[in-house]
Amino acid sequence: MTNVALIVLDTLRKDYFDKHFDWLSGTRFENAWSTSHWTASAHASMFTGKYPSELPVNKKNEFFPATEPSLIEQLAKNGYRTRGFTSNIYMSSNFNFDKGFDELEVSWRVKQIPNEDTFNWGAFISKHQDDGPSRYVKALYQCLTDDSDTVPSLKYGAKMKLNDLGVISHEDEGSKRALEYVRKSNFDADGEFLFLNLMEAHAPYDPPEEYKTVERPEINKRRPSLTGGYDDPEWPRTAYDDAVRYQSDMYEKIFRAVREDFDVVITVADHGEMLGEDGAWLHWLGIRPEVSHVPLCISGDVDIPDPESVASLVDVHATVADIANLDVSSPRGASLLRSTNRDARLVEYRGLAQRRREVVEKVGGDPDEYDRDCYGIAEKKYHYETLDGFVGDKEWQQKLSELVESFDFEAASSDGVSDSVVEHLEDLGYA
């Protein structure tokens, strides 16, 4: 059995990958594309070989479907030991993406989310901002008198306050912990699958001090895509570059450690990032190539017959299955290890989550302006819809419409997530 690792460098733009990851050996796919503009949808494609809205996993439903077989489950059923580390809350039990893992470690950000029996200090204090310092006394009283588990709640509140004061600090978004995890794990000689999600390139662009050439930008409070951006747009761009430089240095160490035990390593980003293009920031709005064009590199002793052809995250499922010799269906994808005439690949933008609609309304915008569907199609070129029109060769506009109409995209709905999870997502710019 071939040991295979799938490592996702979350939110890493293709151009910044080219700039900072020249050390990474392997076969690179220059024409590789995500299936979406954000984490859960993109990973859902990699784990199923389907487009997100076929499941559906999109901004109307952020959870991996309970009845949908996952690549991780399929590997486990075929004798693989499945292990992973995630820095991203979406790739955790909070959203059902832990299905099939024998072991899934999480970063400090995910660990700090309280369970349902813990008093949610952050949500209470946020709702009582106008009360001044007395809000902390009110929060303490509420914590002691409601049905919360008192001792864990008090510990959680103390930890939050120490975090705010800088007494407790975290060196990075999880890459150091991921490196420790890889180094301490005793991987077998064969039959191992490893998944990593590393978040250093993701907002809040806050690498260790020695990598910072600018201060951490105000991402969430400013709502830059909705409020006109930054007076100095080079500030967040430089901060992003600092974060990617750190990610590159850390990933070089992680990659070398992984290669000691794994025959094949697939390195990929789930999506990119907007850095002011068309006035947009982060990755919640649209599917411009800065968001949808992703790095993809396969390292190891495998033959890659056609790296110049279009590739997509929807092909990762079939590729891992091919490497692991699994007899599973990949409905939309094709193995990148096979010589095949891969056709055009779809990219989706399916509007806004409800909490994002509320953010738009809060700053005086019209959420319906952004809560619409847009699609892109990648072949030799990339052609895509925006909220303002179509970009690309006009002959592909009709082909794109026909492709979308050919799919049985399900309507999506979600039961929502807890206040503590929403608070965590806000810290990362997701709400």
Side-chain angles (χ1 to χ4, degrees):
M1 299 172 74
T2 302
N3 284 2
V4 56
L6 172 61
I7 303 178
V8 179
L9 305 179
D10 205 295
T11 320
L12 180 59
R13 282 173 58 136
K14 175 64 167 62
D15 51 351
Y16 282 74
F17 172 80
D18 292 341
K19 179 180 178 182
H20 292 296
F21 285 75
D22 57 333
W23 58 265
L24 180 60
S25 60
T27 300
R28 301 187 179 208
F29 291 80
E30 299 298 329
N31 191 23
W33 300 84
S34 181
T35 56
S36 181
H37 61 102
W38 72 294
T39 296
S41 289
H43 281 76
S45 289
M46 287 189 279
F47 286 5
T48 65
K50 295 181 179 181
Y51 289 117
S53 290
E54 294 182 284
L55 299 167
V57 178
N58 53 46
K59 280 299 184 179
K60 308 304 181 184
N61 174 50
E62 300 170 307
F63 296 83
F64 193 91
T67 58
E68 183 70 30
S70 167
L71 172 65
I72 317 304
E73 291 178 300
Q74 292 165 327
L75 287 161
K77 288 179 181 178
N78 283 271
Y80 270 81
R81 187 175 184 181
T82 54
R83 295 194 259 187
F85 176 92
T86 175
S87 299
N88 195 312
I89 185 177
Y90 281 115
M91 298 301 104
S92 72
S93 60
N94 293 278
F95 291 91
N96 298 339
F97 275 88
D98 61 331
K99 288 177 45 174
F101 279 102
D102 296 319
E103 179 180 282
L104 184 62
E105 293 284 326
V106 298
S107 71
W108 66 269
R109 278 195 183 274
V110 182
K111 286 181 178 178
Q112 75 177 3
I113 298 171
N115 61 39
E116 293 181 357
D117 296 324
T118 303
F119 179 69
N120 193 336
W121 291 81
F124 184 92
I125 291 171
S126 177
K127 292 176 182 177
H128 293 79
Q129 286 287 350
D130 295 337
D131 295 347
S134 68
R135 66 186 182 274
Y136 294 102
V137 178
K138 293 177 181 178
L140 178 60
Y141 177 80
Q142 185 78 15
C143 174
L144 294 172
T145 58
D146 69 5
D147 295 331
S148 302
D149 287 344
T150 303
V151 173
S153 296
L154 290 172
K155 288 182 177 179
Y156 175 66
K159 186 178 291 185
M160 277 192 64
K161 191 60 178 176
L162 291 172
N163 268 321
D164 291 342
L165 295 173
V167 176
I168 298 178
S169 62
H170 303 278
E171 291 182 311
D172 65 15
E173 292 295 328
S175 282
K176 284 191 175 182
R177 179 69 187 87
L179 178 59
E180 292 174 3
Y181 175 75
V182 171
R183 286 176 171 172
K184 79 172 184 180
S185 297
N186 295 315
F187 296 110
D188 293 333
D190 60 12
E192 290 274 3
F193 172 78
L194 175 68
F195 167 79
L196 302 178
N197 177 287
L198 307 175
M199 289 265 288
E200 311 311 319
H202 197 288
Y205 315 152
D206 194 22
E209 288 298 325
E210 60 268 29
Y211 282 83
K212 290 182 180 178
T213 60
V214 295
E215 288 303 308
R216 166 181 165 174
E218 295 179 354
I219 293 291
N220 301 324
K221 291 181 180 179
R222 291 192 54 126
R223 310 292 184 191
S225 292
L226 299 171
T227 57
Y230 297 87
D231 293 335
D232 178 13
E234 290 306 313
W235 174 26
R237 289 172 189 153
T238 302
Y240 179 82
D241 188 79
D242 292 343
V244 172
R245 283 192 298 108
Y246 175 65
Q247 179 73 96
S248 175
D249 287 353
M250 283 305 302
Y251 186 52
E252 186 170 8
K253 297 174 184 177
I254 294 169
F255 178 80
R256 289 175 177 174
V258 171
R259 283 291 284 135
E260 292 178 5
D261 295 294
F262 287 81
D263 306 293
V264 182
V265 178
I266 301 174
T267 304
V268 67
D270 54 347
H271 55 76
E273 187 81 318
M274 297 297 290
L275 296 173
E277 296 85 3
D278 279 354
W281 299 85
L282 304 177
H283 51 273
W284 68 272
L285 181 61
I287 48 173
R288 280 182 57 104
E290 291 82 3
V291 169
S292 51
H293 192 195
V294 294
L296 172 59
C297 179
I298 300 179
S299 308
D301 188 17
V302 289
D303 293 326
I304 311 294
D306 195 14
E308 292 81 22
S309 291
V310 65
S312 166
L313 298 192
V314 81
D315 298 313
V316 169
H317 178 274
T319 303
V320 173
D322 194 4
I323 295 169
N325 198 29
L326 304 186
D327 184 17
V328 298
S329 172
S330 184
R332 303 300 177 191
S335 173
L336 300 174
L337 275 60
R338 304 285 177 171
S339 181
T340 181
N341 183 23
R342 289 188 296 275
D343 56 5
R345 294 295 190 248
L346 189 70
V347 185
E348 302 180 20
Y349 169 84
R350 300 300 306 277
L352 304 180
Q354 178 58 36
R355 62 179 177 274
R356 178 67 74 174
R357 287 183 60 91
E358 293 169 0
V359 168
V360 175
E361 290 175 339
K362 188 175 181 179
V363 299
D366 178 6
D368 291 338
E369 180 181 349
Y370 309 104
D371 200 2
R372 294 183 278 149
D373 295 344
C374 294
Y375 297 95
I377 188 168
E379 40 96 40
K380 292 181 180 179
K381 297 181 180 179
Y382 180 52
H383 319 270
Y384 60 100
E385 296 172 334
T386 74
L387 298 175
D388 299 318
F390 182 79
V391 177
D393 296 344
K394 292 300 181 182
E395 66 192 72
W396 280 94
Q397 189 169 9
Q398 180 62 33
K399 293 180 181 179
L400 175 58
S401 297
E402 293 171 355
L403 179 63
V404 171
E405 290 174 1
S406 71
F407 293 127
D408 184 20
F409 284 166
E410 296 186 33
S413 62
S414 176
D415 294 332
V417 295
S418 67
D419 288 344
S420 57
V421 171
V422 170
E423 182 185 353
H424 174 93
L425 295 173
E426 287 175 343
D427 289 340
L428 299 174
Y430 282 118

